[in-house]
Amino acid sequence: MTQTVIPRPIAWALTASNLGTTRQVLNLAPFSYFTAISSEPALLMISVGKKPHGEVKDTLTNILENQRIVIHIASESQASLVTQTAATLAHGESELAEIDTNLLNTTTFDQFDLPRLAQCDIAYGCELYEIKEIGNTPQSLIFVEVKTLFLNDNVVSSSNERMTIHAEKIAPLARLGANEYSGITQPFKKNRPD
């Protein structure tokens, strides 16, 4: 199934344990079971499985604890970094600590409790809306409400009071099957019927 539902967007999800303390640890992980599901309220969904030995993933643990998550849209050029952050680490170890800060670091996310990745053009500051457990494993469907949005000015233009996001400037990374990723081709337009 995952090799035929393609391409899939990737939620590069940042959460924190011990939010608001001096012992705060940031967790960063990619999820390709990810989509937008509602405009009002503005809801996104990520599906989180278990670690290889059945333990709960840090993303789920942290969002249950703090009710906060920042979802980023990674670019094609960040494919290696996204893959690095898929490593299974013990709870309390940060994927960001393993990456050169010249390549990836955080910055303040205005009006939000968590930071965002400075190198991503899109970031959603979200609060937990609901969690549904499904399947035999189970998978956790995490529904989050977008509370704030960061858009890099370089990927946006406005005309006639209409905002346009330029996908080709974002060059979003997409997931295919197994260890395969993809970018996007040149976007094209098709008008819907009246």
Side-chain angles (χ1 to χ4, degrees):
M1 182 185 76
T2 58
Q3 293 188 50
T4 56
V5 180
I6 54 175
R8 296 188 311 279
I10 299 170
W12 208 5
L14 184 140
T15 58
S17 61
N18 306 310
L19 183 62
T21 71
T22 56
R23 294 184 19 231
Q24 177 176 298
V25 177
L26 296 177
N27 176 265
L28 183 63
F31 297 94
S32 63
Y33 283 171
F34 161 60
T35 193
I37 59 167
S38 171
S39 296
E40 188 57 48
L43 297 179
L44 303 173
M45 186 275 302
I46 62 171
S47 179
V48 178
K50 303 282 187 190
K51 290 183 179 181
H53 297 291
E55 305 97 338
V56 173
K57 288 192 174 181
D58 295 353
T59 299
L60 178 57
T61 299
N62 293 344
I63 201 165
L64 283 168
E65 179 184 333
N66 300 309
Q67 317 282 297
R68 302 283 186 279
I69 186 171
V70 177
I71 295 176
H72 304 84
I73 303 299
S75 69
E76 288 179 63
S77 65
Q78 295 168 324
S80 293
L81 295 171
V82 169
T83 303
Q84 277 184 261
T85 62
T88 301
L89 302 179
H91 185 66
E93 291 183 34
S94 175
E95 292 78 6
L96 284 165
E98 306 295 319
I99 296 173
D100 184 339
T101 56
N102 291 319
L103 300 175
L104 196 65
N105 56 45
T106 60
T107 189
T108 303
F109 196 166
D110 291 341
Q111 303 171 349
F112 203 67
D113 299 340
L114 289 173
R116 62 176 177 80
L117 297 175
Q119 291 77 12
C120 286
D121 290 323
I122 301 173
Y124 305 92
C126 305
E127 292 180 1
L128 178 62
Y129 185 82
E130 185 177 6
I131 296 177
K132 295 278 188 187
E133 300 290 332
I134 61 164
N136 297 328
T137 305
Q139 288 280 121
S140 299
L141 301 183
I142 303 174
F143 300 91
V144 295
E145 185 172 358
V146 177
K147 293 298 185 178
T148 189
L149 171 66
F150 167 80
L151 287 173
N152 186 328
D153 290 341
N154 296 331
V155 301
V156 180
S157 64
S158 296
S159 63
N160 300 328
E161 298 186 23
R162 175 128 179 111
M163 182 182 292
T164 301
I165 310 296
H166 299 282
E168 70 279 7
K169 291 181 180 179
I170 298 164
L173 181 64
R175 182 74 189 272
L176 302 176
N179 295 325
E180 292 185 321
Y181 293 83
S182 178
I184 60 169
T185 59
Q186 183 65 33
F188 58 90
K189 294 182 180 180
K190 292 288 181 185
N191 293 329
R192 294 172 64 170
D194 292 332

